[in-house]
Amino acid sequence: MGNITGNSQIINHGPDDLFIGDNEFASEVLSLAAATTAKDGYVLVRNNMSGKLELANDVSGQCFVLATRDDLVNTSGGAAMDFYVRVCIAGKVKKSGITVAGTALTAAQADALRASGILALDVTNIGKQDNQ
C-alpha cells in the first residue's frame, strides 16, 4: 500500500521505464487541489499567478512531465496542497506513459509537447517479448 502522513498519501511503485536516455530534470513545487491525485507521467504546466506547477488540462505553452514513482494524493479535505517534485524539462519519454487530464496523450498533444523540448515516442519493449 503506502505511507500516510498528515494530509498526503504516498503509494510506492516498482521500477519505472517512462524516461528514455539522458533527460534533463528539475525540482519544482506542484500544487494539487483537494482530493486530487498526480501520477508518474502526468503533464504539468506553470500557474502564472503562483509560479507553481499544476496538472495540465491540455498541452499548450511550456509543459513538464512529472517524474515520480509515487502517487501524490492530496487528502487535505478542502485546501490545495504543495508537493516538492522532480519533473522532466527536456528529453525523450514513452508516449504510452504520458497522461493529460486523466487521458492518454494524443498524437496532436505529442506534437505540441515537442515545443517544450519533450519528445513523446511510441516504444515497444522488444526485449521483454523475446524473453517470454
PDB file of all heavy atoms in Angstrom, residues 2 21 23 25 31 51 53-54 56-57 82 90 101 103-104 109 127 129:
ATOM      1  N   GLY A   2       0.875   1.995   1.009  1.00  0.00           N
ATOM      2  CA  GLY A   2       1.667   3.203   1.020  1.00  0.00           C
ATOM      3  C   GLY A   2       1.747   3.788   2.409  1.00  0.00           C
ATOM      4  O   GLY A   2       1.207   3.248   3.357  1.00  0.00           O
ATOM      5  N   GLY A  21      16.753   7.366 -22.233  1.00  0.00           N
ATOM      6  CA  GLY A  21      18.022   8.064 -22.443  1.00  0.00           C
ATOM      7  C   GLY A  21      18.330   9.095 -21.378  1.00  0.00           C
ATOM      8  O   GLY A  21      17.845   9.038 -20.262  1.00  0.00           O
ATOM      9  N   ASN A  23      17.767  12.445 -19.967  1.00  0.00           N
ATOM     10  CA  ASN A  23      16.816  13.551 -19.917  1.00  0.00           C
ATOM     11  C   ASN A  23      17.290  14.597 -18.928  1.00  0.00           C
ATOM     12  O   ASN A  23      18.146  14.338 -18.091  1.00  0.00           O
ATOM     13  CB  ASN A  23      15.427  13.046 -19.509  1.00  0.00           C
ATOM     14  CG  ASN A  23      14.811  12.145 -20.563  1.00  0.00           C
ATOM     15  OD1 ASN A  23      15.284  12.092 -21.686  1.00  0.00           O
ATOM     16  ND2 ASN A  23      13.780  11.445 -20.204  1.00  0.00           N
ATOM     17  N   PHE A  25      16.172  17.116 -15.820  1.00  0.00           N
ATOM     18  CA  PHE A  25      15.158  17.199 -14.776  1.00  0.00           C
ATOM     19  C   PHE A  25      15.382  18.450 -13.933  1.00  0.00           C
ATOM     20  O   PHE A  25      16.473  18.996 -13.899  1.00  0.00           O
ATOM     21  CB  PHE A  25      15.212  15.956 -13.878  1.00  0.00           C
ATOM     22  CG  PHE A  25      14.914  14.682 -14.604  1.00  0.00           C
ATOM     23  CD1 PHE A  25      15.928  13.938 -15.164  1.00  0.00           C
ATOM     24  CD2 PHE A  25      13.614  14.239 -14.731  1.00  0.00           C
ATOM     25  CE1 PHE A  25      15.658  12.760 -15.845  1.00  0.00           C
ATOM     26  CE2 PHE A  25      13.333  13.068 -15.399  1.00  0.00           C
ATOM     27  CZ  PHE A  25      14.356  12.323 -15.966  1.00  0.00           C
ATOM     28  N   SER A  31       1.318  22.162  -7.037  1.00  0.00           N
ATOM     29  CA  SER A  31       0.152  22.454  -6.215  1.00  0.00           C
ATOM     30  C   SER A  31      -1.003  21.586  -6.689  1.00  0.00           C
ATOM     31  O   SER A  31      -1.401  21.651  -7.852  1.00  0.00           O
ATOM     32  CB  SER A  31      -0.223  23.936  -6.332  1.00  0.00           C
ATOM     33  OG  SER A  31      -1.340  24.210  -5.522  1.00  0.00           O
ATOM     34  N   GLY A  51       3.296  30.751  -9.763  1.00  0.00           N
ATOM     35  CA  GLY A  51       4.608  30.256 -10.163  1.00  0.00           C
ATOM     36  C   GLY A  51       4.781  28.763  -9.924  1.00  0.00           C
ATOM     37  O   GLY A  51       5.792  28.184 -10.287  1.00  0.00           O
ATOM     38  N   LEU A  53       3.688  24.626 -10.292  1.00  0.00           N
ATOM     39  CA  LEU A  53       3.161  23.767 -11.339  1.00  0.00           C
ATOM     40  C   LEU A  53       1.810  23.218 -10.916  1.00  0.00           C
ATOM     41  O   LEU A  53       1.511  23.095  -9.729  1.00  0.00           O
ATOM     42  CB  LEU A  53       4.129  22.618 -11.621  1.00  0.00           C
ATOM     43  CG  LEU A  53       5.513  23.020 -12.125  1.00  0.00           C
ATOM     44  CD1 LEU A  53       6.343  21.777 -12.421  1.00  0.00           C
ATOM     45  CD2 LEU A  53       5.434  23.909 -13.341  1.00  0.00           C
ATOM     46  N   GLU A  54       0.996  22.874 -11.918  1.00  0.00           N
ATOM     47  CA  GLU A  54      -0.305  22.258 -11.674  1.00  0.00           C
ATOM     48  C   GLU A  54      -0.588  21.286 -12.806  1.00  0.00           C
ATOM     49  O   GLU A  54       0.086  21.307 -13.848  1.00  0.00           O
ATOM     50  CB  GLU A  54      -1.396  23.319 -11.563  1.00  0.00           C
ATOM     51  CG  GLU A  54      -1.519  24.214 -12.755  1.00  0.00           C
ATOM     52  CD  GLU A  54      -2.472  25.382 -12.549  1.00  0.00           C
ATOM     53  OE1 GLU A  54      -2.735  25.762 -11.405  1.00  0.00           O
ATOM     54  OE2 GLU A  54      -2.939  25.914 -13.566  1.00  0.00           O
ATOM     55  N   ALA A  56      -2.009  19.755 -16.050  1.00  0.00           N
ATOM     56  CA  ALA A  56      -2.410  20.384 -17.307  1.00  0.00           C
ATOM     57  C   ALA A  56      -3.750  19.823 -17.768  1.00  0.00           C
ATOM     58  O   ALA A  56      -4.018  18.630 -17.625  1.00  0.00           O
ATOM     59  CB  ALA A  56      -1.354  20.129 -18.373  1.00  0.00           C
ATOM     60  N   ASN A  57      -4.569  20.692 -18.336  1.00  0.00           N
ATOM     61  CA  ASN A  57      -5.818  20.261 -18.966  1.00  0.00           C
ATOM     62  C   ASN A  57      -5.608  19.969 -20.436  1.00  0.00           C
ATOM     63  O   ASN A  57      -6.414  19.306 -21.073  1.00  0.00           O
ATOM     64  CB  ASN A  57      -6.905  21.333 -18.806  1.00  0.00           C
ATOM     65  CG  ASN A  57      -7.357  21.450 -17.375  1.00  0.00           C
ATOM     66  OD1 ASN A  57      -7.479  20.461 -16.671  1.00  0.00           O
ATOM     67  ND2 ASN A  57      -7.584  22.673 -16.938  1.00  0.00           N
ATOM     68  N   ASP A  82       0.813  21.644  -1.505  1.00  0.00           N
ATOM     69  CA  ASP A  82       2.030  21.707  -2.301  1.00  0.00           C
ATOM     70  C   ASP A  82       2.892  20.471  -2.071  1.00  0.00           C
ATOM     71  O   ASP A  82       3.032  20.002  -0.940  1.00  0.00           O
ATOM     72  CB  ASP A  82       2.835  22.952  -1.948  1.00  0.00           C
ATOM     73  CG  ASP A  82       2.159  24.234  -2.384  1.00  0.00           C
ATOM     74  OD1 ASP A  82       1.247  24.186  -3.234  1.00  0.00           O
ATOM     75  OD2 ASP A  82       2.563  25.285  -1.869  1.00  0.00           O
ATOM     76  N   ALA A  90      13.214  18.321 -20.366  1.00  0.00           N
ATOM     77  CA  ALA A  90      13.632  18.075 -21.748  1.00  0.00           C
ATOM     78  C   ALA A  90      14.087  16.631 -21.877  1.00  0.00           C
ATOM     79  O   ALA A  90      14.664  16.071 -20.953  1.00  0.00           O
ATOM     80  CB  ALA A  90      14.763  19.018 -22.146  1.00  0.00           C
ATOM     81  N   ALA A 101      -4.755  15.350 -18.246  1.00  0.00           N
ATOM     82  CA  ALA A 101      -6.106  15.459 -17.691  1.00  0.00           C
ATOM     83  C   ALA A 101      -6.797  14.092 -17.608  1.00  0.00           C
ATOM     84  O   ALA A 101      -7.969  13.950 -17.912  1.00  0.00           O
ATOM     85  CB  ALA A 101      -6.944  16.444 -18.508  1.00  0.00           C
ATOM     86  N   THR A 103      -6.325  11.377 -19.397  1.00  0.00           N
ATOM     87  CA  THR A 103      -6.435  10.592 -20.620  1.00  0.00           C
ATOM     88  C   THR A 103      -5.066  10.450 -21.274  1.00  0.00           C
ATOM     89  O   THR A 103      -4.165  11.254 -21.048  1.00  0.00           O
ATOM     90  CB  THR A 103      -7.416  11.238 -21.631  1.00  0.00           C
ATOM     91  OG1 THR A 103      -6.942  12.543 -21.957  1.00  0.00           O
ATOM     92  CG2 THR A 103      -8.815  11.335 -21.052  1.00  0.00           C
ATOM     93  N   ALA A 104      -4.949   9.429 -22.112  1.00  0.00           N
ATOM     94  CA  ALA A 104      -3.685   9.166 -22.804  1.00  0.00           C
ATOM     95  C   ALA A 104      -3.355  10.301 -23.761  1.00  0.00           C
ATOM     96  O   ALA A 104      -4.243  10.972 -24.299  1.00  0.00           O
ATOM     97  CB  ALA A 104      -3.784   7.846 -23.566  1.00  0.00           C
ATOM     98  N   GLN A 109      -1.270  16.172 -29.254  1.00  0.00           N
ATOM     99  CA  GLN A 109      -0.671  16.631 -27.995  1.00  0.00           C
ATOM    100  C   GLN A 109       0.810  16.289 -27.946  1.00  0.00           C
ATOM    101  O   GLN A 109       1.612  17.062 -27.424  1.00  0.00           O
ATOM    102  CB  GLN A 109      -1.414  16.031 -26.803  1.00  0.00           C
ATOM    103  CG  GLN A 109      -2.796  16.606 -26.607  1.00  0.00           C
ATOM    104  CD  GLN A 109      -3.595  15.849 -25.563  1.00  0.00           C
ATOM    105  OE1 GLN A 109      -3.440  14.636 -25.391  1.00  0.00           O
ATOM    106  NE2 GLN A 109      -4.454  16.560 -24.866  1.00  0.00           N
ATOM    107  N   GLY A 127      12.760  -6.538 -25.960  1.00  0.00           N
ATOM    108  CA  GLY A 127      13.480  -7.445 -25.077  1.00  0.00           C
ATOM    109  C   GLY A 127      12.543  -8.266 -24.214  1.00  0.00           C
ATOM    110  O   GLY A 127      12.752  -9.444 -24.014  1.00  0.00           O
ATOM    111  N   GLN A 129       9.458  -9.077 -24.970  1.00  0.00           N
ATOM    112  CA  GLN A 129       8.745 -10.005 -25.819  1.00  0.00           C
ATOM    113  C   GLN A 129       9.610 -11.178 -26.220  1.00  0.00           C
ATOM    114  O   GLN A 129       9.151 -12.303 -26.295  1.00  0.00           O
ATOM    115  CB  GLN A 129       8.232  -9.275 -27.081  1.00  0.00           C
ATOM    116  CG  GLN A 129       7.166  -8.245 -26.763  1.00  0.00           C
ATOM    117  CD  GLN A 129       6.746  -7.458 -27.993  1.00  0.00           C
ATOM    118  OE1 GLN A 129       7.372  -7.546 -29.035  1.00  0.00           O
ATOM    119  NE2 GLN A 129       5.684  -6.689 -27.842  1.00  0.00           N
TER     120      GLN A 129
END
